[in-house]
Amino acid sequence: MEQLDQTLAAIAAATTPDAIESLRVAALGKQGWVSALLKTLGAMSADERLVAGPRIHAAREAVSAALAARKASLEAAALDARLAAERVDLTLPAAPPLRGSIHPVSQVQDELVEIFADLGFAVATGPEIEDDWHNFTALNMPETHPARAMHDTFYFPDRDKAGRSMLLRTHTSPVQIRTMLAQGAPLRIIAPGRVYRSDSDATHTPMFHQIEGLVIDRAIHLGHLKWTLETFLKAFFERDDVVLRLRPSYFPFTEPSVEVDVGYSLIAGKRVVGGDGDAPGGGWMEVLGAGIINRAVIAAGGLDPDEWQGFAFGTGVDRLAMLKYAMDDLRAFFDGDVRWLDHYGFAALDVPTLSGGVGVRA
Ligand code: PHE
């Protein structure tokens, strides 16, 4: 059957679904040659039909099978082509260029959290919009207390439902009160976050960052505080020769209170933390406020001061960042200048860990 050979050859040569479809119509369609042959069977004698019938049916089967096979192989080839074109190599490393960087304040906060987590401290938070009870009164600063005036507070015009003045928190210390009230004792927390004071020059911005530390337990004393701060500052500055000097000071919420200095030496005109500040060419620089928590504050936190004692400390995160990474103008921190961020920012994948070095810079 010449037509069968031609059709099979054409099917084998077809390269598109459309071509296959028109070959199917030409052979098996109503007007197709196979259909035409099938129609001739009716006019045949029984003997003729016995011979021609199986041949025509076999031809129809052969064409159908060839069409199906060709269609399948074209589809397989198309799939292969797509798989090759759309292939993704999952073994490739995440490729640079990475855009953007981690702000030094975020980086230093992450470093601090890492260091204190290793000492068993959990992270606590509180609202930036505070009331004057949490920000002042509960911290042993009643309404007439002169320390309130020193905080250059941003007040809101309206009071809250309880009649308390609302303000932007001036320090992270209200988180002490909130955490004591919410969690009771014992406690070991740090509270990093934004704070606000109406103040602005090269070393003061209206918004800046503090980190608060709070430990509440039984029989806590200044030795625990000093050891904790020394351990933290050595880990943060990544040197063993950090020397602390505790100076008596005053905070309403701690008694006794200390200001903590670290020794530095001048290297190429820059203050580099480490060594005895009294050594020639050295000096002391204040980095922290701290103290044993005032009994009135423990009581405001809902705890019995005869049973629970504790220490607290607070420090400026931005200041720590400036010291560690040798930056000299705080205002640049909040300008959002991409060139500054490119220079001082940290690579997004450079997550601080104690084992890897908390301050490694890419
Ligand atoms: N809240 C104080 C400040 O902002 C810092 C501080 C915290 C001092 C905890 C002592 C204890 O200056």
Side-chain angles (χ1 to χ4, degrees):
M1 226 187 280
E2 203 182 316
Q3 267 171 316
L4 177 60
D5 293 340
Q6 279 174 7
T7 300
L8 293 181
I11 291 172
T15 55
T16 64
D18 283 351
I20 289 180
E21 177 58 12
S22 42
L23 287 166
R24 186 192 69 76
V25 172
L28 307 179
K30 269 191 193 139
Q31 317 288 331
W33 63 267
V34 176
S35 309
L37 282 178
L38 283 169
K39 279 180 208 147
T40 64
L41 288 175
M44 289 182 189
S45 69
D47 285 351
E48 284 172 331
R49 201 181 296 138
L50 217 55
V51 179
R55 284 183 58 206
I56 296 170
H57 282 293
R60 189 176 62 177
E61 290 309 309
V63 170
S64 297
L67 286 168
R70 187 63 190 148
K71 213 171 144 197
S73 86
L74 281 182
E75 280 169 1
L79 184 61
D80 283 347
R82 260 189 73 187
L83 284 173
E86 296 175 11
R87 180 168 174 274
V88 175
D89 185 350
L90 297 175
T91 65
L92 281 176
L98 285 173
R99 296 292 298 144
S101 60
I102 303 296
H103 194 286
V105 171
S106 301
Q107 180 78 12
V108 165
Q109 261 180 23
D110 290 347
E111 291 177 23
L112 296 172
V113 167
E114 176 71 11
I115 290 166
F116 280 104
D118 190 56
L119 296 175
F121 285 65
V123 174
T125 55
E128 290 168 32
I129 297 175
E130 258 299 3
D131 58 68
D132 68 348
W133 186 81
H134 286 93
N135 195 81
F136 291 128
T137 313
L139 289 162
N140 200 32
M141 282 183 269
E143 215 143 301
T144 52
H145 200 286
R148 283 201 183 201
M150 285 159 50
H151 275 222
D152 301 310
T153 312
F154 287 113
Y155 283 96
F156 288 90
D158 299 323
R159 291 170 179 267
D160 74 355
K161 287 191 202 91
R164 292 172 177 170
S165 296
M166 298 302 287
L167 46 81
L168 292 173
R169 68 178 179 190
T170 58
H171 52 177
T172 43
S173 299
V175 184
Q176 290 186 30
I177 304 297
R178 289 187 175 274
T179 312
M180 279 190 266
L181 288 172
Q183 298 179 23
L187 272 181
R188 230 187 286 181
I189 56 121
I190 51 166
R194 294 191 183 94
V195 300
Y196 302 83
R197 289 184 202 181
S198 165
D199 204 353
S200 191
D201 60 36
T203 54
H204 297 87
T205 49
M207 185 281 297
F208 57 106
H209 300 80
Q210 285 190 338
I211 187 162
E212 192 83 7
L214 173 69
V215 169
I216 305 268
D217 212 318
R218 297 182 171 92
I220 291 289
H221 56 73
L222 267 181
H224 296 126
L225 170 64
K226 189 179 181 200
W227 181 89
T228 303
L229 295 181
E230 208 169 77
T231 304
F232 142 53
L233 290 167
K234 283 179 177 174
F236 179 71
F237 288 108
E238 294 176 76
R239 35 196 310 164
D240 282 331
D241 65 346
V242 174
V243 181
L244 265 57
R245 186 175 76 172
L246 271 56
R247 273 182 296 110
S249 183
Y250 174 75
F251 297 104
F253 28 93
T254 48
E255 182 58 39
S257 302
V258 292
E259 271 170 324
V260 182
D261 301 336
V262 289
Y264 66 84
S265 50
L266 281 175
I267 296 177
K270 293 243 181 221
R271 292 174 173 194
V272 176
V273 171
D276 182 349
D278 287 332
W284 297 99
M285 145 173 80
E286 187 202 324
V287 289
L288 281 145
I292 297 296
I293 300 164
N294 194 301
R295 290 173 60 87
V297 174
I298 302 260
L303 300 172
D304 178 358
D306 288 330
E307 185 179 1
W308 301 102
Q309 303 78 47
F311 65 77
F313 56 88
T315 182
V317 174
D318 322 82
R319 229 177 96 73
L320 287 179
M322 289 171 84
L323 269 176
K324 182 167 177 179
Y325 296 111
M327 299 176 266
D328 45 26
D329 193 338
L330 182 62
R331 286 168 297 197
F333 275 56
F334 309 116
D335 282 347
D337 186 327
V338 180
R339 293 162 302 178
W340 187 87
L341 284 168
D342 279 346
H343 184 73
Y344 286 110
F346 290 78
L349 298 177
D350 184 20
V351 178
T353 59
L354 281 181
S355 53
V358 280
V360 176
R361 178 183 245 148

